[in-house]
Amino acid sequence: MTTITMPPEGFLMPDFGDRHRAAGSTSRAPSLDAAPGEASAPAGDAAYRGPRKMAFICSKGNLDMAYPALIMGNAALGEGVEVHIFFTFWGMDMINTRTNDRLKFTLAGNTAMHMPDLGRVRPGLEHLSMPQAMGNLPGMTQFATRMMKKQLEELEIPTVPDFLDLLAASGAHLYACRLSYDMMKVIEADLHPAVEGVISASDFIEIADGAQVIFV
C-alpha cells in the first residue's frame, strides 16, 4: 500500500504547469483539495522525468564560483544528460587560457567563509565566519586561494583547465558569449580548446530550448 503525504495546512504549492510523465503513465498527482491522507488519483505515479538536458550560465570568475557549474555539469553527464555551458561576463575568465589557471578566492564579501582547521584549536571555531576585515589584509586573498586549492586537490578535484578538458571529453558543449568576448578584447587564441565557439545570447537561448537552465 502506498501512502501519499499531503502538504501541511496553509502550504501553497507553486504551479509548475503540466509535467511530463513516463511513457504509458496516466496517473495524476494528488489534489490539494483532497482530504488529508486521501489521494485524488490512483497511487503509483511515476517520478517526474523532465527534459534530459541542462544548460549552465557561468557569469563569475572567482575560484569558488567556477566549480559549481563544472561539478554539476559533470554529474549530469554521468547521468546521461545533455549538457551545454555558456560563459559570459566574468565567467569568461574560466575559459580564457591567460586567466583560468589563476582564478582567485577572496574573503571580502563572503560571510560564509570558515576555516575547518580552527576546530583543532578549539571545537566549534570551525563553524565561525571569518571576520570581513581580514579580507582586506595584504596577502589574504593569496592565502585563501592557496587554502581552497589545497582542499580541492585533497579531494582530487581537477583544476579548472583540466575540468574543462574532462567535460569536453565527456560530451559537454562549451560556448563563449559574443558580447563578453568583444567587450573583454579576448582573441580566439586565448580560448580554451574545449570551447566550441563564440555565440550570442540569442543563439544560446535557442540551444537551451527545453533545457533546465542554471545560472551561476
Side-chain angles (χ1 to χ4, degrees), residues 84-103:
H84 300 268
I85 308 180
F86 185 65
F87 300 88
T88 185
F89 280 85
W90 296 276
M92 287 288 295
D93 281 357
M94 294 174 61
I95 54 173
N96 187 337
T97 57
R98 295 179 180 272
T99 58
N100 63 3
D101 62 341
R102 296 187 287 109
L103 301 183

Side-chain angles (χ1 to χ4, degrees), residues 40-59:
S40 60
D45 282 10
Y48 169 53
R49 299 181 183 274
R52 302 296 289 174
K53 182 177 179 181
M54 296 183 73
F56 296 90
I57 301 174
C58 297
S59 65

Side-chain angles (χ1 to χ4, degrees), residues 2-188:
T2 303
T3 302
I4 299 179
T5 302
M6 300 304 296
E9 184 178 354
F11 180 83
L12 299 179
M13 179 68 75
D15 181 8
F16 295 109
D18 293 335
R19 296 185 172 191
H20 302 286
R21 292 183 172 79
S25 173
T26 57
S27 58
R28 303 182 52 153
S31 169
L32 294 182
D33 295 330
E38 179 183 341
S40 60
D45 282 10
Y48 169 53
R49 299 181 183 274
R52 302 296 289 174
K53 182 177 179 181
M54 296 183 73
F56 296 90
I57 301 174
C58 297
S59 65
K60 302 292 190 298
N62 286 356
L63 182 65
D64 56 321
M65 296 304 295
Y67 277 98
L70 301 181
I71 293 172
M72 287 188 289
N74 186 58
L77 289 167
E79 295 295 325
V81 179
E82 181 180 332
V83 172
H84 300 268
I85 308 180
F86 185 65
F87 300 88
T88 185
F89 280 85
W90 296 276
M92 287 288 295
D93 281 357
M94 294 174 61
I95 54 173
N96 187 337
T97 57
R98 295 179 180 272
T99 58
N100 63 3
D101 62 341
R102 296 187 287 109
L103 301 183
K104 294 180 173 56
F105 172 62
T106 179
L107 276 69
N110 184 2
T111 57
M113 174 61 181
H114 312 287
M115 288 191 65
D117 288 343
L118 289 179
R120 301 174 183 175
V121 179
R122 191 175 73 188
L125 290 181
E126 69 273 22
H127 304 303
L128 297 180
S129 298
M130 301 299 294
Q132 286 292 289
M134 291 186 63
N136 299 321
L137 296 176
M140 185 53 67
T141 295
Q142 289 77 5
F143 169 76
T145 300
R146 285 197 304 271
M147 184 180 70
M148 172 162 278
K149 286 185 174 181
K150 181 176 180 293
Q151 291 173 327
L152 292 169
E153 185 178 354
E154 289 174 350
L155 294 172
E156 298 184 349
I157 297 177
T159 63
V160 171
D162 288 344
F163 221 138
L164 296 175
D165 288 333
L166 173 65
L167 289 170
S170 300
H173 304 278
L174 281 56
Y175 314 96
C177 170
R178 167 61 64 181
L179 174 64
S180 302
Y181 178 87
D182 293 338
M183 183 177 69
M184 298 182 179
K185 311 299 182 187
V186 179
I187 61 175
E188 187 174 352

